[in-house]
Amino acid sequence: MEVGLVGLLRTAWIAAILPLLIASVPSSRLSSFHGAVLEFAKRGKIMKSSSQFTVPQKFFCHFYLVAVVWTALLLVTTGMYAYKTVPLVYPTFPSQLTGGSHIFSWHKSHSIPISYRYGVWRSVFLLLLMEVQVLRRLFETIYVFNYSSSARMHIFGYLTGLFFYTAAPLSLCCNNALEVYKFSLNAVAEFIVKGKTTMQHMEFDWLEFVSSLLRLRWLQWTGAVIFFWGWIHQRNCHAILGSLREHSGQNDEYVIPHGDWFEVVSSPHYLAEIVIYTGLVVASGGTDPTIWLLFGFVVSNLVFAAAETHRWYLKKFKNYPSNRLAIIPFVY
């Protein structure tokens, strides 16, 4: 199951990346293909209200509702598996006195390679970062963005968003999926057989859990710093975009945004997203091809969308700042 899941995810990411890369090739022979991909990717201000097969852009909140619940489920199950079977610290003294299944699980974990144990806790760490991201995005779609009633997105883009926020969290922990799945099934079966007694005797020490996370290496914490750097700037840029709609006199009125990374690129919220996922790649250790493919999709998708957004700004505003590029400062 594990190899099958990893292979399936990698195939899905490659299948999602290739059309974007092909559509980005500056060739007149591919103009029709570029137009088709662009039509699927359009949303908000760059999509014509007359377009067919669309849904309201406020449906963005569906992505984050799914992501919050799904990531939380993966975080809880992977976290409990890590805590119960592959801890990175000794149980506290009181836990050793009381005994229980956790102390036996800890002694059994000595036979498990340290690289595997660190790998599981890296997955917990990555899922924790992902949950922080999707919780903020859910809050923003409900309380920050005031989507115009005319703002639409293509149904294909909507389905792609649902796919992404299902596959992305799973890609962060897919290497341990089989073991976590078996652990969760056993826990559910034990609960069904023993009932509430199992829950009453279940031991969980937050100090031990946090201590294991703190044992992670410098790459994880460097990745977290990069992640929160992008996270803060994306929050700032989304606040700027939300305030533009809030102070707009008409639903379809657009103005040039200013502030934060908007001073250098047209889509700084996309740039911040790339920084966020760069942080996840670094925190993962940079050795997992599945996470690299996830990152590749994020970059190719956002660069493609940012290029069209930049063209829209240049066409819409004659006085658009000439120093701004599409998404990558001083590059593109």
Side-chain angles (χ1 to χ4, degrees), residues 234-252:
Q234 188 176 66
R235 183 200 61 181
N236 294 342
C237 293
H238 283 164
I240 292 169
L241 289 174
S243 67
L244 294 180
R245 175 62 60 190
E246 182 180 346
H247 296 100
S248 176
Q250 302 175 8
N251 285 339
D252 295 322

Side-chain angles (χ1 to χ4, degrees), residues 286-306:
T287 59
D288 190 341
T290 309
I291 296 179
W292 273 108
L293 287 170
L294 161 62
F295 178 72
F297 173 78
V298 169
V299 173
S300 57
N301 179 51
L302 294 180
V303 168
F304 184 81

Side-chain angles (χ1 to χ4, degrees), residues 90-127:
Y90 285 96
T92 57
F93 183 68
S95 297
Q96 297 203 36
L97 289 178
T98 56
S101 60
H102 183 43
I103 185 66
F104 295 111
S105 297
W106 195 93
H107 285 300
K108 183 180 178 181
S109 73
H110 274 297
S111 62
I112 300 175
I114 188 66
S115 59
Y116 175 81
R117 284 191 275 161
Y118 271 102
V120 175
W121 281 98
R122 275 198 303 270
S123 295
V124 175
F125 190 67
L126 293 173
L127 288 170

Side-chain angles (χ1 to χ4, degrees), residues 156-172:
F156 186 81
Y158 174 74
L159 295 176
T160 301
L162 292 176
F163 156 75
F164 177 83
Y165 283 105
T166 301
L170 191 57
S171 296
L172 301 178

Side-chain angles (χ1 to χ4, degrees), residues 164-200:
F164 177 83
Y165 283 105
T166 301
L170 191 57
S171 296
L172 301 178
C173 61
C174 61
N175 292 319
N176 321 119
L178 179 60
E179 290 80 3
V180 173
Y181 177 72
K182 290 179 179 179
F183 172 83
S184 301
L185 280 185
N186 290 336
V188 171
E190 186 177 0
F191 175 76
I192 292 174
V193 173
K194 298 183 180 180
K196 293 183 179 180
T197 305
T198 305
M199 301 299 294
Q200 292 171 354

